Amino acid sequence: MSFFKSIRFRLSVQYSALVFGLGGALLGLVYLAVQSWLRNQSMTRYVISGDPVWIDSVLVGYVPNLNDHDLFMIETVYNEIVLDEVARFTAFGLAALFLLSLVVGWFMSGRVLKPIAQITRKAQEIEASDLSQRINLQGPDDELTRLGATIDMMLERLDRAFGSQRRFLADTSHDLRTPLAVIRSNIEVALDDPETRTEEWRETACIVKRNVEKMAEMIDGLLAVARAETANTSTAQVHLDQLVTRKARDYQPVIFEAGIHLSVEAGPAQVLGVELALERALANLVDNALKVAPVGSTIRIVSGSESGWAYLGVDDSGPGLELDDDEMPIGLGLSIVERVLDAHGGRLMAFPGASGAGATMVMWLPTNAAKTPQPNNSPLTVV
């Protein structure tokens, strides 16, 4: 039964029915045309009573002298004989045409569906645990080739999403486990010592408070990711220049206290997104820069647009990142940034620092006019 339900069989039947219908209509028209032609002819045009009949230069006789009634009867019988022969040959032709159209339709549909069979086999081989394989369908630039290319692009996006999710879960579990371990170890030390003094309990409480605050910041970041990925109805136009100005104003006292200079270049740019999530992503980049920037150096926060794409960038003069095959070291902070950008259709990119030291982290975000490929360069340059 599966054979009769297959697309190939149905295409063969449809192709055969179409060819058979057109062929049958054509032969039917030919039959009607022959019938009409014969009925409009008269043997008196070709038969003249009394004319001699010659066969191989031998006189064999004379045409009998027939009256109109006899001529009409002969014409009628002759026409019926011809029409019967035409009908018989037409029936044989239709039967042969039907069988031939089935065979041709079967092979033609198989040829057309061959790329789909290749796509199906390759898709069955691809598992969720290994999305690195691609269909790589070769052939002319037609609908099926474009379908294969579209599936490959979908697999590429899924591969990146699964990889990002695995890193995100690993970073989350690792970074949350660290403060929990610190809290647990300090409390156990205090509890195991029955002579723990009030000052020691206070010190333990301060350690616990710092780590709880650190965990709270991580949870805020996770909530920002959740909002970016699920709260599609709350998206709005976000002015990145205003976001940069506001975040720089918030960080100004902290950066000044750390003995670091702050440079802000808030170029105009707008994207459709979740403002709270983008603000959290930018804050994570600034936090990372603040942790590694040496005293007396400068942290630059910039925004702008290029080639239809908007960007948010943070540049520092710290030790920089050791990039290997375009892979960057990811902690929970950067992992949250990646998740936020994935939810907005963007991407995080890392470059050497604009001043020759440190690192430049750039968040590329598509705008309404983003019809060109994402830029692959750092928009931050030394000014």
Side-chain angles (χ1 to χ4, degrees):
M1 294 297 295
S2 60
F3 170 79
F4 296 103
K5 294 180 180 179
S6 66
I7 295 180
R8 185 175 183 181
F9 176 77
R10 284 181 288 169
L11 283 176
S12 301
V13 172
Q14 292 175 5
Y15 178 81
S16 176
L18 179 62
V19 174
F20 180 77
L22 293 175
L26 179 61
L27 292 177
L29 291 175
V30 171
Y31 177 84
L32 293 176
V34 172
Q35 183 186 56
S36 176
W37 182 81
L38 287 174
R39 288 179 177 176
N40 291 330
Q41 304 303 311
S42 174
M43 292 184 64
T44 55
R45 179 184 299 179
Y46 308 102
V47 178
I48 301 176
S49 299
D51 284 354
V53 178
W54 300 85
I55 300 178
D56 295 332
S57 303
V58 177
L59 180 64
V60 296
Y62 294 87
V63 175
N65 189 11
L66 301 177
N67 57 35
D68 292 340
H69 180 266
D70 293 335
L71 288 174
F72 176 77
M73 293 300 298
I74 292 174
E75 288 179 357
T76 302
V77 172
Y78 176 76
N79 290 344
E80 292 300 326
I81 293 174
V82 172
L83 290 176
D84 288 343
E85 290 298 312
V86 171
R88 185 166 65 89
F89 285 117
T90 300
F92 286 135
L94 286 175
L97 179 63
F98 178 72
L99 295 176
L100 182 61
S101 63
L102 277 178
V103 175
V104 173
W106 178 260
F107 283 102
M108 289 297 295
S109 60
R111 186 183 182 92
V112 171
L113 294 176
K114 184 178 179 180
I116 296 182
Q118 180 181 346
I119 293 174
T120 303
R121 287 194 302 269
K122 198 66 176 180
Q124 291 173 345
E125 296 174 0
I126 298 174
E127 300 178 358
S129 58
D130 181 18
L131 295 174
S132 60
Q133 301 185 60
R134 298 292 180 266
I135 295 175
N136 292 325
L137 186 63
Q138 304 297 322
D141 184 18
D142 55 13
E143 291 82 358
L144 293 179
T145 306
R146 290 193 289 272
L147 173 63
T150 301
I151 294 177
D152 283 343
M153 289 189 292
M154 180 189 68
L155 290 173
E156 179 69 26
R157 291 193 298 270
L158 287 175
D159 193 14
R160 289 202 306 267
F162 272 81
S164 175
Q165 186 178 46
R166 286 192 293 267
R167 292 196 304 271
F168 183 74
L169 292 175
D171 295 334
T172 301
S173 60
H174 176 270
D175 284 22
L176 287 176
R177 189 184 298 117
T178 300
L180 285 174
V182 172
I183 292 173
R184 181 177 180 179
S185 62
N186 280 272
I187 291 178
E188 287 178 348
V189 168
L191 290 175
D192 290 342
D193 186 1
E195 298 181 356
T196 303
R197 293 172 300 178
T198 303
E199 292 76 9
E200 294 174 336
W201 276 111
R202 288 183 177 277
E203 183 179 352
T204 300
C206 290
I207 295 174
V208 171
K209 180 183 178 182
R210 286 197 301 270
N211 283 274
V212 168
E213 290 174 349
K214 184 184 298 183
M215 292 176 60
E217 292 179 358
M218 295 179 184
I219 293 174
D220 288 341
L222 297 176
L223 290 176
V225 172
R227 293 189 188 98
E229 293 182 341
T230 61
N232 294 327
T233 56
S234 64
T235 58
Q237 288 292 331
V238 181
H239 296 265
L240 299 185
D241 50 340
Q242 297 177 9
L243 178 62
V244 165
T245 302
R246 183 171 64 251
K247 189 54 60 178
R249 186 169 54 249
D250 294 340
Y251 272 91
Q252 180 67 53
V254 180
I255 293 178
F256 178 78
E257 184 178 351
I260 301 172
H261 303 288
L262 178 63
S263 174
V264 180
E265 302 168 22
Q270 293 185 36
V271 296
L272 183 65
V274 181
E275 185 170 3
L276 183 61
L278 293 175
E279 185 174 355
R280 166 57 59 179
L282 179 60
N284 286 356
L285 294 186
V286 177
D287 286 337
N288 288 346
L290 188 58
K291 292 175 183 177
V292 299
V295 176
S297 65
T298 300
I299 294 178
R300 299 172 64 206
I301 308 176
V302 303
S303 67
S305 60
E306 179 180 326
S307 302
W309 287 77
Y311 61 83
L312 289 168
V314 177
D315 178 73
D316 65 72
S317 300
L321 298 175
E322 293 183 3
L323 303 180
D324 183 17
D325 296 331
D326 296 330
E327 291 292 332
M328 67 183 74
I330 298 292
L332 182 57
L334 290 183
S335 185
I336 290 176
V337 174
E338 280 196 331
R339 298 288 289 183
V340 170
L341 291 177
D342 286 342
H344 287 80
R347 186 182 178 189
L348 176 65
M349 303 188 72
F351 303 93
S355 60
T360 298
M361 308 299 295
V362 181
M363 296 189 295
W364 286 106
L365 294 162
T367 65
N368 295 334
K371 299 180 180 179
T372 57
Q374 173 186 298
N376 195 30
N377 65 305
S378 171
L380 281 75
T381 56
V382 178
V383 293

